[in-house]
Amino acid sequence: MNKIVERIKKEFNKTPDLIIKEININLFNTVYILYLETVSGSNKVNDYILKNLIASKNKINKHNLKSFLAGPNTKEIKNADEIEYFITSGFTIIILNSVIYGVETRADINRSVANTDVETSINGPKDSFTENYQINLGLIKRRLKSHNLKIENRVVGRKTSTQVGLLYFEDIVDTDMVQDVIKKIESIDIDGIIDSSSVGFLIDGEANHVFPTFLQTERPDMVATALLEGKMAIVIDTTPYVLIIPAFFIDFINPNIDNYSKSKNINFIKILRLFSYFLSMIAPALYISIMNYNQETIPTNLLVDFAIQRNGVPFPTIVETLIMLGVCEILRESDLRFPSNYGSAISILGAIVLGEASVSAGIASPITIIVIAITFISSLTFSNVEINNSLRFFRFIFILLAGFFGLYGITLGIIFFLVYTTNITSFNKPYFAPLAPFNKTYFNNTVYKTPLYKDTKRSTLFTHKNIHKQKEDS
């Protein structure tokens, strides 16, 4: 038996889905066909390989073997160490003496392209990424028909051998940024990559700050828009989310789906989202500081009304607020973990029952329930989990500062937030851009939307070449 075949049998000795077929082409030579029936399609193996080899076995030799393989993607394997990668990736291996070919015969075990589930929008495309690497590339290339769109393929993971592709426009992107990201991907040495977030954490760190520095999206149109701006995208096999880098704070507050609405109408929503973020972060702390330290900041009649409502509540305002925030965090977590069919119903029921019961039992005052409800309703504006986690982090910092120093503590918290955020970078780009440092072009794409005919240039945050996106009005 061929030594290579013996080696494969030893390596896959407890792999019952390994199929080995032999075709004797003459008295001295045998063609070996090897594939894993769990990842390769038997019909494809039969149509692409077996029919042709059996029908023409008397004409086959190692010099013309490739001409009898009908697969659309046939690769010559010159190093036997690569066989494991190809056979586990859905290729069928054909061996004749020392000649080895791999024919792509992947089984159709992919989920079909479906509607967006998380990043929904009324207008714009509805298709979303799947767990298939090639399909995801196709969804992007379907929108970007240019030879300047380049893909740097790498294989990451000692056990998973996961395909990772870096996409960028060669005539737009900053070349130094591309080389830096490629080096980081190549430096990854880990047993397995299961999700796109693992690649993001490994190439840009995760322990230095609470904000996300890469954008995970399920929308091909968002990836296409980002690539046209001069950003990069990382496509990872087996995951339906693609990474967009670099990503800034404002990208998570005002996503690109705003581009599908008229500028004069969407600008109000953009301002509302920014207000919602800061309201969700500061509202509990503002309530604590007014009730404990700065009663003179609100009208006397309203202050008396608040005092009457709090009459009989045994806890200080800060403790009362922390208890209700903790309950709401538990409800949020249960909503995320429960099946979608009845998770929201249970969380809504829990919020109503617990809120009413807390007030009736004298554990919390009605005004506290209102403040906490406003806080969590404001945070529901953002679908990104990491942004909501960053909100939680700063919310508790503001509560502690307000509990000790009142409105002065909130001022200190705002200063801390600005210093903290402006010191973060995303792939060596300032995270608080385009606000600090100010960049007019990107500001008009994110914070404030200008009419499309005025969107003529790319931001210098990402590139200094091929700046013009469309012809400017004379």
Side-chain angles (χ1 to χ4, degrees):
M1 183 181 287
N2 190 298
K3 291 182 179 179
I4 299 175
V5 178
E6 286 187 354
R7 173 182 170 180
I8 295 173
K9 290 186 72 174
K10 288 181 180 178
E11 290 178 349
F12 291 85
N13 64 334
K14 291 185 179 180
T15 309
D17 57 329
L18 176 65
I19 305 298
I20 301 177
K21 291 185 176 293
E22 302 176 15
I23 300 176
N24 296 316
I25 58 176
N26 53 50
L27 293 174
F28 305 102
N29 293 307
T30 300
V31 177
Y32 295 95
I33 298 98
L34 305 91
Y35 65 94
L36 296 175
E37 62 178 346
T38 51
V39 293
S40 294
S42 298
N43 292 335
K44 292 181 180 180
V45 175
N46 186 53
D47 294 339
Y48 296 166
I49 302 165
L50 295 179
K51 284 183 178 179
N52 293 341
L53 293 185
I54 292 174
S56 309
K57 62 181 180 179
N58 296 326
K59 303 176 184 178
I60 297 173
N61 58 60
K62 67 179 183 179
H63 301 292
N64 65 4
L65 175 61
K66 187 176 182 180
S67 62
F68 292 95
L69 305 176
N73 184 14
T74 302
K75 299 181 181 292
E76 183 177 2
I77 302 173
K78 296 183 179 180
N79 186 349
D81 294 335
E82 297 178 351
I83 292 177
E84 180 182 2
Y85 170 74
F86 281 101
I87 198 171
T88 54
S89 298
F91 280 71
T92 295
I93 307 300
I94 298 95
I95 302 173
L96 175 58
N97 296 331
S98 59
V99 177
I100 309 172
Y101 288 103
V103 179
E104 186 175 357
T105 55
R106 286 191 176 99
D108 295 325
I109 53 177
N110 302 305
R111 179 169 59 92
S112 61
V113 177
N115 291 346
T116 54
D117 185 36
V118 178
E119 301 168 275
T120 56
S121 67
I122 298 174
N123 302 321
K126 306 299 181 184
D127 54 343
S128 63
F129 291 118
T130 72
E131 287 78 10
N132 183 281
Y133 180 75
Q134 297 297 337
I135 291 176
N136 291 344
L137 291 179
L139 289 171
I140 298 171
K141 287 196 168 187
R142 182 182 178 184
R143 291 167 166 82
L144 303 173
K145 303 175 180 67
S146 171
H147 68 277
N148 287 311
L149 179 62
K150 304 301 180 182
I151 304 174
E152 297 280 354
N153 270 328
R154 298 294 186 271
V155 177
V156 179
R158 293 191 293 260
K159 302 295 185 185
T160 58
S161 296
T162 305
Q163 283 197 78
V164 176
L166 177 67
L167 280 69
Y168 59 90
F169 271 107
E170 188 178 37
D171 59 334
I172 298 176
V173 77
D174 182 356
T175 307
D176 292 337
M177 188 165 61
V178 172
Q179 295 304 318
D180 182 52
V181 174
I182 290 174
K183 287 180 181 178
K184 289 180 178 180
I185 293 174
E186 291 176 342
S187 67
I188 296 175
D189 186 13
I190 191 173
D191 276 348
I193 296 293
I194 305 300
D195 182 68
S196 58
S197 59
S198 301
V199 176
F201 294 148
L202 290 169
I203 64 177
D204 199 44
E206 61 171 319
N208 297 329
H209 42 73
V210 297
F211 286 105
T213 53
F214 54 86
L215 181 62
Q216 286 182 285
T217 180
E218 61 177 347
R219 300 183 62 101
D221 56 314
M222 285 187 66
V223 173
T225 303
L227 290 170
L228 289 171
E229 288 293 331
K231 295 185 179 184
M232 295 174 289
I234 301 178
V235 182
I236 298 97
D237 195 17
T238 72
T239 176
Y241 286 90
V242 171
L243 306 184
I244 296 176
I245 54 175
F248 303 144
F249 171 78
I250 199 65
D251 294 328
F252 299 93
I253 306 299
N254 291 327
N256 284 330
I257 56 177
D258 289 347
N259 295 331
Y260 301 131
S261 300
K262 196 172 182 180
S263 57
K264 289 185 178 179
N265 297 331
I266 203 66
N267 281 330
F268 171 75
I269 305 299
K270 286 177 174 288
I271 296 171
L272 187 64
R273 287 202 203 101
L274 282 169
F275 176 75
S276 297
Y277 184 89
F278 289 102
L279 179 64
S280 179
M281 185 169 59
I282 296 175
L286 192 62
Y287 168 65
I288 291 170
S289 63
I290 290 175
M291 294 302 295
N292 287 355
Y293 295 97
N294 305 98
Q295 293 90 345
E296 70 280 0
T297 58
I298 60 174
T300 305
N301 292 337
L302 186 61
L303 180 63
V304 171
D305 192 23
F306 286 172
I308 293 172
Q309 291 183 31
R310 293 208 73 254
N311 185 34
V313 177
F315 304 111
T317 308
I318 186 171
V319 175
E320 177 189 8
T321 303
L322 288 173
I323 289 173
M324 298 313 299
L325 280 174
V327 170
C328 288
E329 292 292 347
I330 294 172
L331 287 171
R332 184 203 291 273
E333 189 66 16
S334 67
D335 195 14
L336 290 174
R337 304 305 169 197
F338 261 70
S340 58
N341 291 336
Y342 54 89
S344 296
I346 289 179
S347 63
I348 292 171
L349 178 64
I352 294 173
V353 172
L354 286 173
E356 182 66 27
S358 299
V359 173
S360 300
I363 298 174
S365 63
I367 184 60
T368 303
I369 300 297
I370 292 173
V371 170
I372 300 304
I374 291 173
T375 299
F376 272 82
I377 290 172
S378 300
S379 68
L380 293 177
T381 309
F382 314 105
S383 59
N384 187 278
V385 176
E386 294 298 335
I387 277 293
N388 275 304
N389 290 341
S390 69
L391 262 176
R392 183 193 302 128
F393 173 79
F394 281 104
R395 187 182 298 134
F396 282 105
I397 287 179
F398 272 97
I399 287 173
L400 292 176
L401 288 172
F404 284 106
F405 306 109
L407 290 177
Y408 177 65
I410 292 179
T411 305
L412 292 176
I414 293 173
I415 294 172
F416 171 73
F417 172 81
L418 293 175
V419 172
Y420 182 94
T421 311
T422 52
N423 276 282
I424 298 173
T425 58
S426 174
F427 296 88
N428 299 320
K429 303 293 182 180
Y431 189 67
F432 214 53
L435 300 174
F438 181 75
N439 184 278
K440 181 180 178 182
T441 305
Y442 201 60
F443 182 91
N444 290 337
N445 282 336
T446 53
V447 181
Y448 174 82
K449 185 180 185 297
T450 57
L452 184 59
Y453 70 89
K454 291 185 178 180
D455 185 19
T456 58
K457 294 182 179 180
R458 294 181 178 87
S459 172
T460 53
L461 285 169
F462 311 115
T463 182
H464 292 277
K465 57 184 180 181
N466 202 356
I467 292 294
H468 293 278
K469 294 193 290 187
Q470 64 172 311
K471 185 179 179 181
E472 296 185 63
D473 292 338
S474 57

